[in-house]
Amino acid sequence: MSEGRSSGSRGSSHRAPSGAGTPATVALTAAGVPFTAHAYEHHDTATNFGEEAAAELGLSEDRVFKTLVASADDELVVAVVPVARRLDLKALAAAVGAKKARLADPAVAERRTGYVVGGISPVGQRTTLATVVDASAASFDSVFVSAGRRGLDLEIAPDDLVRATGARLLPIARD
């Protein structure tokens, strides 16, 4: 990883805290992709999971990204956008060559990814889906995404996230 990362020893892959391994952390470790896992206290009353993660970790909502599953012309795709912004469904559709996109039913998203809503990670999903990461990620040395369960985020370089997910980096978020 390049210099200037915000976390301590960032030069090698790290596992999640003891007992907290997820398919995402296992996949990144197996692929040799550097990341740092950050646990935080998840509150059962929380409904805005990305905002909760940003607040609990003391981070800007621009640097914490939420993972959304959408249906683009009836094909499921993954969109990774900053918590502070909204997914632009028209931009997502254009990014994947579809005419139209809409958010997927949460039960379908859970079945296809293997994760629960609020803990869907763009990495290590049960079914590999086309993924688009908002271009704003490139403005940070590292970003935070769900590690595959509520209360655990991954800090990862945007290039490593793109590489690990096979994503495209395109502008898909709006204010």
Side-chain angles (χ1 to χ4, degrees), residues 16-175:
S18 180
T22 67
T25 61
V26 169
L28 291 172
T29 299
V33 176
F35 70 93
T36 302
H38 295 271
Y40 60 91
E41 185 177 350
H42 165 66
H43 304 278
D44 290 337
T45 57
T47 56
N48 239 330
F49 304 107
E51 289 176 8
E52 178 188 43
E56 289 290 323
L57 294 171
L59 298 166
S60 163
E61 291 182 3
D62 291 319
R63 191 169 168 211
V64 178
F65 283 64
K66 55 191 169 188
T67 305
L68 303 170
V69 179
S71 177
D73 290 350
D74 297 323
E75 293 292 324
L76 290 182
V77 298
V78 173
V80 183
V81 297
V83 167
R85 301 181 71 202
R86 297 176 54 91
L87 172 61
D88 182 335
L89 290 166
K90 287 182 182 182
L92 177 64
V96 297
K99 291 181 183 177
K100 199 162 110 172
R102 68 186 188 309
L103 289 177
D105 177 86
V108 171
E110 289 181 342
R111 263 195 318 278
R112 291 291 296 274
T113 64
Y115 296 118
V116 298
V117 169
I120 295 177
S121 178
V123 181
Q125 297 179 357
R126 180 178 292 150
T127 304
T128 302
L129 301 173
T131 301
V132 182
V133 175
D134 185 63
S136 66
S139 65
F140 299 101
D141 286 340
S142 64
V143 295
F144 291 71
V145 297
S146 177
R149 72 169 172 81
R150 296 172 187 161
L152 187 65
D153 264 23
L154 298 173
E155 181 180 4
I156 188 169
D159 289 345
D160 289 336
L161 177 61
V162 166
R163 183 169 50 97
T165 59
R168 286 179 273 168
L169 198 62
L170 297 166
I172 58 167
R174 61 182 169 84
D175 294 322

